[in-house]
Amino acid sequence: PESSVSMDAVQRAVDVQTPEIQTYLGSNTQCLMAVKLLYERKLGPLSFWEPYISMLPHTVRLPVHFNDALLDIPNNAVFASNQRKQKKILRAIYELLSAPITGVYFQLDPPLDTSTFEDFLDAWSVVASRSLMLNGKPALVPFSDFANHNNKACDVAVSEKKSNDNNVDSMN
């Protein structure tokens, strides 16, 4: 089907990268899947997967989306440090993918030349939260990932101060 052509296009764009970049991207398969999701979104109605992709959320709010002030609220230095490191790694991968002319984004037809880091982060968050691992690689599988999700749900953090700590008691 048409979708396999676009998935192959992303793989071909990766294949022309240096071995070092290929290795780096190969160990970050969710990032490659995010590129594939961005590409399918750009194809719009021409994508075989458009009916499914149109039902996916545009983004899933994960800690990598939080600004520094929000990361410090849980008062957990390890958590904040890990999220800052994750975002730094994702930004480095984005920079590799979007490098003018040589990056994967520019090897695609049509190119993803207008995609921003925020677009990439949004696509990555969808893949990170909704993909299933099949044969060691992330896959977005129509219908199966809807089993434990509610597209209408909202994220609410409830914090109650107890007499001796400042921990978050529950997140819904």
mmCIF file of all heavy atoms in Angstrom, residues 130 146 148-154:
data_model
loop_
_atom_site.group_PDB
_atom_site.id
_atom_site.type_symbol
_atom_site.label_atom_id
_atom_site.label_comp_id
_atom_site.label_asym_id
_atom_site.label_seq_id
_atom_site.Cartn_x
_atom_site.Cartn_y
_atom_site.Cartn_z
ATOM 1 N N ARG A 130 2.036 5.672 23.096
ATOM 2 C CA ARG A 130 1.010 4.845 22.467
ATOM 3 C C ARG A 130 1.535 3.668 21.657
ATOM 4 O O ARG A 130 0.749 2.867 21.157
ATOM 5 C CB ARG A 130 0.137 5.711 21.564
ATOM 6 C CG ARG A 130 -0.547 6.834 22.319
ATOM 7 C CD ARG A 130 -1.369 7.670 21.393
ATOM 8 N NE ARG A 130 -2.673 7.092 21.159
ATOM 9 C CZ ARG A 130 -3.747 7.299 21.919
ATOM 10 N NH1 ARG A 130 -3.655 8.065 22.970
ATOM 11 N NH2 ARG A 130 -4.892 6.744 21.623
ATOM 12 N N PHE A 146 -5.778 2.025 21.521
ATOM 13 C CA PHE A 146 -6.902 2.748 22.110
ATOM 14 C C PHE A 146 -7.462 2.029 23.335
ATOM 15 O O PHE A 146 -8.272 2.597 24.065
ATOM 16 C CB PHE A 146 -8.033 2.923 21.088
ATOM 17 C CG PHE A 146 -7.682 3.833 19.943
ATOM 18 C CD1 PHE A 146 -8.056 3.507 18.658
ATOM 19 C CD2 PHE A 146 -6.988 5.004 20.157
ATOM 20 C CE1 PHE A 146 -7.744 4.343 17.599
ATOM 21 C CE2 PHE A 146 -6.669 5.852 19.106
ATOM 22 C CZ PHE A 146 -7.048 5.519 17.822
ATOM 23 N N ASN A 148 -6.381 1.369 26.251
ATOM 24 C CA ASN A 148 -6.184 1.957 27.581
ATOM 25 C C ASN A 148 -6.057 3.476 27.526
ATOM 26 O O ASN A 148 -5.422 4.076 28.368
ATOM 27 C CB ASN A 148 -4.957 1.343 28.253
ATOM 28 C CG ASN A 148 -3.682 1.646 27.496
ATOM 29 O OD1 ASN A 148 -3.727 2.166 26.389
ATOM 30 N ND2 ASN A 148 -2.558 1.316 28.084
ATOM 31 N N HIS A 149 -6.676 4.102 26.537
ATOM 32 C CA HIS A 149 -6.597 5.552 26.397
ATOM 33 C C HIS A 149 -7.980 6.159 26.251
ATOM 34 O O HIS A 149 -8.889 5.535 25.735
ATOM 35 C CB HIS A 149 -5.763 5.941 25.163
ATOM 36 C CG HIS A 149 -4.332 5.554 25.275
ATOM 37 N ND1 HIS A 149 -3.430 6.253 26.026
ATOM 38 C CD2 HIS A 149 -3.651 4.515 24.752
ATOM 39 C CE1 HIS A 149 -2.251 5.670 25.940
ATOM 40 N NE2 HIS A 149 -2.360 4.611 25.176
ATOM 41 N N ASN A 150 -8.103 7.377 26.690
ATOM 42 C CA ASN A 150 -9.317 8.142 26.500
ATOM 43 C C ASN A 150 -8.905 9.472 25.890
ATOM 44 O O ASN A 150 -8.275 10.293 26.556
ATOM 45 C CB ASN A 150 -10.032 8.344 27.833
ATOM 46 C CG ASN A 150 -11.307 9.157 27.687
ATOM 47 O OD1 ASN A 150 -11.573 9.771 26.670
ATOM 48 N ND2 ASN A 150 -12.106 9.154 28.745
ATOM 49 N N ASN A 151 -9.223 9.703 24.616
ATOM 50 C CA ASN A 151 -8.822 10.935 23.941
ATOM 51 C C ASN A 151 -9.460 12.180 24.543
ATOM 52 O O ASN A 151 -8.996 13.275 24.337
ATOM 53 C CB ASN A 151 -9.165 10.863 22.454
ATOM 54 C CG ASN A 151 -8.221 9.962 21.711
ATOM 55 O OD1 ASN A 151 -7.130 9.686 22.176
ATOM 56 N ND2 ASN A 151 -8.637 9.496 20.554
ATOM 57 N N LYS A 152 -10.538 12.018 25.296
ATOM 58 C CA LYS A 152 -11.229 13.158 25.887
ATOM 59 C C LYS A 152 -10.727 13.455 27.302
ATOM 60 O O LYS A 152 -11.127 14.438 27.904
ATOM 61 C CB LYS A 152 -12.731 12.895 25.941
ATOM 62 C CG LYS A 152 -13.341 12.533 24.604
ATOM 63 C CD LYS A 152 -13.749 13.761 23.861
ATOM 64 C CE LYS A 152 -14.533 13.382 22.627
ATOM 65 N NZ LYS A 152 -13.962 13.800 21.409
ATOM 66 N N ALA A 153 -9.884 12.585 27.838
ATOM 67 C CA ALA A 153 -9.401 12.773 29.209
ATOM 68 C C ALA A 153 -8.493 13.987 29.292
ATOM 69 O O ALA A 153 -7.840 14.367 28.335
ATOM 70 C CB ALA A 153 -8.644 11.529 29.679
ATOM 71 N N CYS A 154 -8.470 14.584 30.438
ATOM 72 C CA CYS A 154 -7.542 15.692 30.656
ATOM 73 C C CYS A 154 -6.600 15.300 31.796
ATOM 74 O O CYS A 154 -6.912 14.453 32.618
ATOM 75 C CB CYS A 154 -8.286 16.981 30.972
ATOM 76 S SG CYS A 154 -9.266 16.906 32.471
#
